[in-house]
């Protein structure tokens, strides 16, 4: 699922962590859980939780005023 479809449902602490730790190699469990609860990829999926395109979205398209 594309990030723009679940980003608005993501809790604020998770959004802030992602913005402050752009392109982090590993995501802490609370961030992974927040992404899954918002409708994003689940940590158990065989693909990376966040793609390069997802990180690009977080860096350039997400607004800091949520």
């Amino acid at each position: 699922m594309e990030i723009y479809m679940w980003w608005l449902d993501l809790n604020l602490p998770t959004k802030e962590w992602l913005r402050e730790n752009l392109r982090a190699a590993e995501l802490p469990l609370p961030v992974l859980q927040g992404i899954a609860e918002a409708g994003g990829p689940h940590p158990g999926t065989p693909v990376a939780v966040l793609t390069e395109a997802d990180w690009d979205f977080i860096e350039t398209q997400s607004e800091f005023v949520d």
Side-chain angles (χ1 to χ4, degrees):
M1 179 180 291
E2 298 293 326
I3 189 170
Y4 63 85
M5 297 182 75
W6 53 264
W7 180 261
L8 293 176
D9 295 325
L10 197 59
N11 64 51
L12 190 56
T14 300
K15 286 181 182 179
E16 290 174 346
W17 192 94
L18 290 169
R19 289 176 180 133
E20 293 169 4
N21 298 277
L22 277 174
R23 303 185 196 288
E26 292 185 28
L27 304 178
L29 186 57
V31 171
L32 292 171
Q33 290 173 329
I35 291 170
E37 290 170 4
H42 293 268
T45 58
V47 295
V49 173
L50 294 176
T51 65
E52 206 52 41
D54 293 338
W55 285 116
D56 290 344
F57 174 89
I58 293 167
E59 184 174 16
T60 62
Q61 300 297 318
S62 69
E63 296 182 15
F64 284 88
V65 180
D66 290 311

